Amino acid sequence: MTELELAGQVIELVRRLGGPTVQAEAVVTRADLALTRFANSAIHQNVAESTVGVRLRLHVDGRTAAGSGSVLTADGLRALVERTLAAARLCPPDPGWPGLAPPTPTPDAPGVDEATAYAEPDQRADRVGAFVAAAGGLTTAGYCRTAHRSSAFANSAGHTAHGRSAEAAMDGIARRDGADGVARRYADRLSDLDGAELGAQAAAKAQAAADPVELPPGRYEVVFEPAAVADLLQNLSWYGFNGKRYAERQSFAEPGSAQFDSTVTLVDDPLGSSGLPFDAEGTGRRALTLVEAGTTRAVAHDRRTAAEAGAESTGHAVAGGATWGPMARNLRLSGAVAGPASPVGRSTTGTAAGAVVDADTAALVAGVRRGLLVSDLWYTRVLDPKSLVVTGLTRNGVWLIEDGTVVRAVRDLRFTESYPRALGPGAVLGLGARAVRQPDRVDGAWWAAPSLRLASWHFTGGASG
């Protein structure tokens, strides 16, 4: 039985058990996930799982509930419907229920790379081996993963949709004397992941990160590499361009206002890769411009937030959206073409040779009189959602730049910064020409991020402070 047939069977079961007035939507997803992990420069784990899950949402007598299950027998599906119906009758009234998506055509999605969808363990292992070999004897760790999903949607209003997606990602570090260098990449095709290239980049950064010095806290000009920029995009998306937070006045977003530097354009582009062509409510997904040349244009909506705002869903519903709100999960910064950055063409490094690994970053570094080159941000936590003030740490390499040259490694630093302010009018001094897609922990999410030069970033002390 196909995913679409199974989804239709669940909807029919709801009609029989709950009656014709129950509004129902079902999503059936078949997922094939595989992960090859390595540590101490050797593969230590290869895992794979194939699952089929059913997610059901019902609106009964003005109340809404959701349930899920993975038992696909007749008894298992019946139990899922019965317990979801029972839960709905116990839930509080839901006056914001927006109704079901009507029957509409599903947008065409890019084709799936079959070699990635059904990749074998030795293909991932080959890339791990190339990463380790390119690290030149440094200790390495990380993973290479592939995923294939086939998903179908059906609701009691007669709307159906089906799609497939495939993805691959690699994330690894090389370590020298406690100093780490990182390289990571997301791709639609496993064949686009070059383990040797990533391993060489991670190793060069680890070598350049040795013997770091401490710097005093303060505001510094910064050049962020794509991995660091990805954190900016994720937080801007989840906390700023989220229609639920916007309706609750917990978002900085002010559509129609020039809130960002004129060089900043942000587009959520879910069909710019091998992604599903519909969201959790069955609404077709499409590109959505959130910021255009510095001016905020839109926020992401699902059916619930769109109804409240008097707008239409933008196709950004996620499971659990009543709690989390709609999310843009495929954000691209500026008009850069997503793809790997070019190798560095000229030296911008002094004693920290290897810190700069691509031409885009090199060009940005060359314009800095005194500042910091930052590889990655992590452990970021939001202090104030309204202004999106975030605190976090640098990791995997920070270097001091003087007169356009990377001169020495710096110890990791803690920062506290408003992300919108840091990207505000006049604050962006340069963007890389190409965006490099960075993987996210959320299924199907990626952030297409170029290197980025900012006028000011507030570092508040050392990483242990």
Side-chain angles (χ1 to χ4, degrees):
M1 183 179 297
T2 68
E3 293 85 21
L4 192 56
E5 290 170 337
L6 186 56
Q9 181 179 327
V10 172
I11 296 299
E12 182 57 35
L13 191 57
V14 171
R15 289 196 182 100
R16 294 209 312 266
L17 297 177
T21 62
V22 176
Q23 297 182 57
E25 57 187 23
V27 179
V28 177
T29 301
R30 187 182 308 273
D32 301 301
L33 313 176
L35 177 71
T36 300
R37 280 198 179 103
F38 60 105
N40 296 318
S41 301
I43 293 173
H44 68 95
Q45 185 180 49
N46 182 74
V47 293
E49 65 174 3
S50 295
T51 61
V52 181
V54 181
R55 181 169 47 81
L56 176 65
R57 188 169 67 153
L58 303 177
H59 187 68
V60 185
D61 298 330
R63 303 167 191 267
T64 306
S68 62
S70 57
V71 180
L72 306 183
T73 63
D75 288 343
L77 295 178
R78 183 184 183 92
L80 169 61
V81 173
E82 288 176 341
R83 67 175 178 264
T84 308
L85 284 167
R89 294 186 176 105
L90 296 174
C91 286
D94 180 12
W97 171 252
L100 299 172
T104 50
T106 302
D108 293 331
V112 167
D113 181 60
E114 301 295 337
T116 301
Y118 301 105
E120 296 292 337
D122 60 347
Q123 294 174 287
R124 293 187 299 276
D126 287 344
R127 283 155 180 81
V128 171
F131 187 103
V132 172
L138 297 187
T139 301
T140 60
Y143 69 80
C144 181
R145 66 172 169 84
T146 53
H148 170 230
R149 297 176 184 84
S150 180
S151 189
F153 175 92
N155 69 20
S156 55
H159 179 44
T160 61
H162 177 263
R164 296 172 65 206
S165 68
E167 64 185 68
M170 191 166 190
D171 187 340
I173 63 168
R175 175 168 294 176
R176 178 199 171 198
D177 298 331
D180 294 342
V182 67
R184 60 176 67 105
R185 193 71 48 82
Y186 174 102
D188 297 327
R189 297 180 294 273
L190 181 60
S191 59
D192 288 342
L193 296 181
D194 187 334
E197 177 189 357
L198 296 177
Q201 289 181 0
K205 287 186 158 296
Q207 296 282 11
D211 302 319
V213 299
E214 290 192 11
L215 284 186
R219 287 200 169 272
Y220 290 83
E221 185 177 329
V222 292
V223 173
F224 282 159
E225 293 188 298
V229 178
D231 186 83
L232 274 66
L233 299 184
Q234 181 191 70
N235 280 289
L236 288 168
S237 171
W238 291 6
Y239 292 95
F241 300 111
N242 179 315
K244 182 175 186 290
R245 291 185 178 274
Y246 176 73
E248 294 171 345
R249 300 187 179 183
Q250 288 295 305
S251 164
F252 64 81
E254 298 177 5
S257 298
Q259 295 183 278
F260 296 88
D261 189 88
S262 61
T263 61
V264 173
T265 292
L266 292 171
V267 178
D268 187 64
D269 191 15
L271 299 184
S273 66
S274 173
L276 294 177
F278 57 91
D279 70 3
E281 296 174 327
T283 302
R285 304 175 77 196
R286 56 183 173 82
L288 175 67
T289 300
L290 300 169
V291 177
E292 183 179 21
T295 299
T296 301
R297 295 298 185 193
V299 296
H301 283 300
D302 55 18
R303 291 183 59 78
R304 184 180 294 271
T305 64
E308 184 174 352
E312 294 184 356
S313 172
T314 58
H316 288 89
V318 298
T323 300
W324 306 111
M327 294 183 184
R329 301 188 298 171
N330 306 111
L331 210 56
R332 172 166 45 87
L333 173 58
S334 195
V337 178
S342 303
V344 63
R346 66 180 183 83
S347 175
T348 57
T349 59
T351 58
V356 180
V357 296
D358 66 85
D360 279 357
T361 303
L364 297 179
V365 167
V368 178
R369 188 184 68 81
R370 191 172 192 273
L372 296 174
L373 170 64
V374 178
S375 285
D376 204 357
L377 304 177
W378 78 302
Y379 205 57
T380 52
R381 297 293 183 267
V382 175
L383 300 179
D384 178 19
K386 177 67 174 177
S387 57
L388 197 54
V389 173
V390 178
T391 187
L393 303 170
T394 65
R395 70 167 175 174
N396 297 323
V398 184
W399 293 269
L400 179 64
I401 307 167
E402 292 182 340
D403 297 324
T405 298
V406 176
V407 294
R408 62 179 59 87
V410 174
R411 292 190 184 279
D412 281 317
L413 296 162
R414 174 169 289 280
F415 68 87
T416 300
E417 184 59 81
S418 165
Y419 283 12
R421 187 213 65 80
L423 294 165
V428 177
L429 304 181
L431 281 169
R434 296 186 67 83
V436 181
R437 281 192 289 171
Q438 302 291 301
D440 190 277
R441 293 183 299 274
V442 178
D443 294 341
W446 49 260
W447 315 101
S451 296
L452 174 67
R453 181 183 168 197
L454 298 176
S456 176
W457 194 262
H458 187 206
F459 293 98
T460 56
S464 60

